[in-house]
Amino acid sequence: QQSVARHGGGRGWRWRLGRAGGKPGGRGGEAAALPGAPLHYLAPLLSNLSQRPAARAFLLDPDRCVVQRLLPLTQYPDSSVRRGGVVGTLRNCCFEHRHHEWLLGPEVDILPFLLLPLAGPEDFSEEEMQRLPVDLQYLPPDKQREPDADIRKMLVEAIMLLTATAPGRQQVRDQGAYLILRELHSWEPEPDVRTACEKLIQVLIGDEPERGMENLLEVQVPEDVEQQLQQLDCREQEQLERELAPEPWVERATPT
């Protein structure tokens, strides 16, 4: 459960994360110290704090088990604010590539918690089903994807960060992430989320980077190439804005 405890000495409030279950479908508890206060907005606060290296170091400390307690909240049904804050926190933690092996390993097993909100009720073949983590196999026909497009995009971005290193890319491939992303891309109505999904799929199905460039977060991009990439991003954004813009209203002549 979650609770808020007041410390003496003027040190303010501390958010204590309690155990919230260990499966992707689990739910986090409410505040024991403040009955009736759901504290949903502590999740966006935590997301903001996790932009700082010191906060990420705290969250990623294996002895504290903080990340494991956040994972079930990616599916918290009662608040998109809480889900979004938790997913934002997890995405920020994924910038720390030195922790990827731990995050993807059995001690945390973060990937199913990131993929499950992106999964729908698809009926995979038996061969494909066996490639998926157990928690993503044989989902019910009424399974719904995460309804918030911003959260879906953050989930895709978190998985993209986990593919920054060669071992991370292999682990994400081995857990059948491509199958979930393939179906998400076919279903996704939002162009910016679909674009993020396409980029991740390209990383998973593309050739491995040449030797010395395996860690995508540490690759030094030449200035001229960076400018070209920025220009491409600007063109993509303009294209998205054109696709999302409403049709212009045209005054029609009235027959006389």
Side-chain angles (χ1 to χ4, degrees):
Q1 63 179 16
Q2 295 176 352
S3 63
V4 173
R6 183 70 175 177
H7 288 279
R11 286 182 288 172
W13 295 95
R14 181 181 72 184
W15 186 24
R16 276 207 316 265
L17 282 164
R19 289 181 172 82
K23 293 186 72 61
R27 291 181 54 173
E30 300 301 342
L34 297 175
L39 304 178
H40 297 316
Y41 283 91
L42 282 177
L45 173 62
L46 189 62
S47 179
N48 288 339
L49 290 173
S50 66
Q51 296 179 44
R52 308 293 298 175
R56 294 197 297 272
F58 177 91
L59 293 168
L60 292 166
D61 184 344
D63 294 330
R64 297 183 186 275
C65 294
V66 178
V67 169
Q68 292 93 320
R69 296 170 185 177
L70 291 173
L71 291 175
L73 299 177
T74 60
Q75 290 265 105
Y76 188 78
D78 299 332
S79 172
S80 61
V81 172
R82 184 180 294 198
R83 291 197 311 275
V86 166
V87 171
T89 301
L90 295 173
R91 179 196 59 180
N92 291 342
C93 288
C94 290
F95 276 97
E96 301 292 337
H97 64 84
R98 293 174 181 83
H99 292 271
H100 283 182
E101 183 178 357
W102 176 71
L103 288 170
L104 288 165
E107 192 172 347
V108 179
D109 198 21
I110 191 175
L111 191 59
F113 292 91
L114 300 177
L115 288 172
L116 185 57
L118 300 175
E122 291 79 24
D123 186 17
F124 294 108
S125 68
E126 191 66 27
E127 181 181 354
E128 289 179 328
M129 197 72 74
Q130 295 307 313
R131 293 172 55 192
L132 294 169
V134 172
D135 289 308
L136 279 84
Q137 295 180 8
Y138 305 104
L139 297 177
D142 60 348
K143 169 68 171 69
Q144 299 294 314
R145 288 183 173 87
E146 165 60 52
D148 189 296
D150 290 333
I151 297 177
R152 293 198 302 273
K153 186 177 181 183
M154 286 192 292
L155 289 162
V156 172
E157 289 170 347
I159 301 171
M160 175 69 102
L161 288 167
L162 291 171
T163 65
T165 63
R169 287 190 289 278
Q170 193 58 50
Q171 285 184 274
V172 173
R173 290 186 187 110
D174 290 345
Q175 295 195 56
Y178 167 74
L179 300 174
I180 301 297
L181 295 167
R182 181 190 68 193
E183 300 303 320
L184 171 67
H185 182 266
S186 299
W187 169 89
E188 181 56 60
E190 297 295 330
D192 57 337
V193 184
R194 196 163 58 244
T195 298
C197 189
E198 288 170 1
K199 291 178 179 178
L200 176 52
I201 289 174
Q202 282 299 319
V203 169
L204 294 177
I205 68 176
D207 296 332
E208 278 293 301
E210 60 186 75
R211 187 175 180 83
M213 303 182 68
E214 296 93 341
N215 190 327
L216 303 182
L217 289 176
E218 292 185 337
V219 172
Q220 297 296 319
V221 181
E223 186 175 349
D224 59 330
V225 175
E226 186 172 358
Q227 291 177 352
Q228 293 175 16
L229 292 173
Q230 290 174 350
Q231 292 172 359
L232 287 172
D233 286 341
C234 289
R235 286 201 289 269
E236 282 185 4
Q237 186 61 36
E238 292 171 358
Q239 178 64 28
L240 287 174
E241 290 173 356
R242 285 196 294 270
E243 292 180 13
L244 295 172
E247 291 292 329
W249 183 78
V250 179
E251 184 177 3
R252 297 179 182 275
T254 303
T256 56

